[in-house]
């Protein structure tokens, strides 16, 4: 969404007017895709980064042409309102945009001469690889957490299972002896088994 920001002010005088070729070299050296439009939404600059990749277009088919002709109807419909808003308010705009070419952090920066916004710089930072790495780290953290959870559950359940196994052995021993006075012990072991089973069920329910 939009945020409070700034307008790039470009003072121009006969003595310091930048040479187009030097400005183009600077824009081409930037590690991002970038283009500039004027108030009529005509493309005035298109750097090398914006020529490359799945959504790139040749500079010769962009500079000097209406942005609508360059982006096509669908791309222009999504972009034109944002550019108009930046031109009107002088406030930069940022958003994350997903396209067939990847995921981009897009900035729209106003450029002003005096108090008037005369240009908008559209800045495209490809964050596809960064996001994929973040998702891999998240997946790795989740797997690590699941491993710790499983280990903790196994430890918690092992104690009641050991108790159940001990009771089963004792019951088997009493059954083999066939002693009549063992009914009380049998009930005690039965109750202990029930308690330990309930403990296991409680552990599983809280996962």
């Amino acid at each position: 969404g939009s945020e409070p920001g700034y307008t790039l002010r470009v003072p121009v005088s006969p003595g310091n007017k930048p040479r187009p070729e030097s400005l183009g070299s600077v824009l081409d050296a930037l590690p991002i895709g970038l283009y500039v439009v004027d108030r009529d939404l005509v493309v005035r600059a298109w750097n090398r980064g914006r020529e490359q990749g799945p959504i790139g277009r040749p500079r010769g088919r962009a500079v000097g042409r209406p942005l609508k002709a360059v982006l096509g109807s669908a791309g222009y419909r999504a972009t034109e309102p944002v550019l108009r808003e930046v031109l009107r308010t002088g406030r930069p705009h940022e958003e994350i945009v997903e396209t067939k070419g990847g995921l981009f952090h897009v900035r729209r920066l106003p450029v002003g001469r005096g108090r008037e916004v005369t240009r908008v710089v559209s800045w495209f930072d490809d964050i596809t690889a960064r996001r994929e790495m973040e998702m891999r780290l998240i997946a790795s953290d989740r797997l690590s957490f699941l491993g710790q959870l499983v280990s903790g559950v196994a430890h918690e359940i092992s104690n009641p299972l050991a108790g159940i196994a001990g009771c089963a052995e004792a019951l088997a021993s009493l059954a083999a002896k066939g002693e009549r006075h063992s009914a009380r012990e049998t009930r005690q072991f039965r109750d202990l088994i029930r308690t330990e089973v309930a403990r296991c069920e409680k552990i599983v329910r809280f996962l």
Side-chain angles (χ1 to χ4, degrees), residues 1 5 7 44 88 120 127 157:
T7 301
R44 295 304 176 188
R88 185 181 66 82
V120 176
I127 60 173
I157 290 181

Side-chain angles (χ1 to χ4, degrees), residues 59-70:
R59 184 178 340 207
R61 294 170 55 186
V63 176
R65 302 183 66 198
L67 187 63
K68 184 176 183 179
V70 178

Side-chain angles (χ1 to χ4, degrees), residues 35-37 40-43 46 50 62 64-73 75-76 79-80 83 108 122:
Y35 68 80
V36 180
V37 296
D40 295 322
L41 300 188
V42 173
V43 177
W46 193 273
R50 198 62 183 81
R65 302 183 66 198
L67 187 63
K68 184 176 183 179
V70 178
L71 298 184
S73 298
Y76 184 76
T79 304
E80 187 259 350
L83 296 176
R108 312 286 182 177
S122 293

Side-chain angles (χ1 to χ4, degrees), residues 35 39 89 105-106 110 143 168 171 187 191:
Y35 68 80
R39 293 191 66 85
T89 64
H105 182 190
V106 182
L143 288 174
L171 288 172
R187 286 195 298 271
D191 292 342

Side-chain angles (χ1 to χ4, degrees), residues 122-202:
S122 293
W123 175 298
F124 298 80
D125 186 9
D126 189 343
I127 60 173
T128 306
R130 189 188 316 163
R131 181 59 59 87
E132 288 175 351
M133 181 177 295
E134 290 173 355
M135 296 306 295
R136 285 197 297 269
L137 289 174
I138 291 172
S140 177
D141 288 344
R142 287 177 177 172
L143 288 174
S144 176
F145 171 75
L146 286 175
Q148 294 174 6
L149 180 63
V150 170
S151 176
V153 170
H155 175 73
E156 289 295 325
I157 290 181
S158 65
N159 291 330
L161 287 179
I164 292 171
C167 289
E169 289 293 332
L171 288 172
S173 177
L174 290 173
K177 292 177 180 179
E179 298 177 0
R180 294 183 179 180
H181 68 273
S182 64
R184 182 171 59 85
E185 289 88 346
T186 300
R187 286 195 298 271
Q188 289 177 340
F189 286 128
R190 180 200 63 193
D191 292 342
L192 181 56
I193 288 174
R194 287 175 175 173
T195 299
E196 295 303 320
V197 169
R199 183 179 170 191
C200 290
E201 290 175 343
K202 184 177 180 181

Side-chain angles (χ1 to χ4, degrees), residues 84-102:
R84 295 289 185 196
E85 182 69 10
V86 174
L87 285 166
R88 185 181 66 82
T89 64
R91 296 164 67 90
H93 181 276
E94 293 190 35
E95 60 184 333
I96 302 297
V97 176
E98 185 172 6
T99 73
K100 62 181 180 180

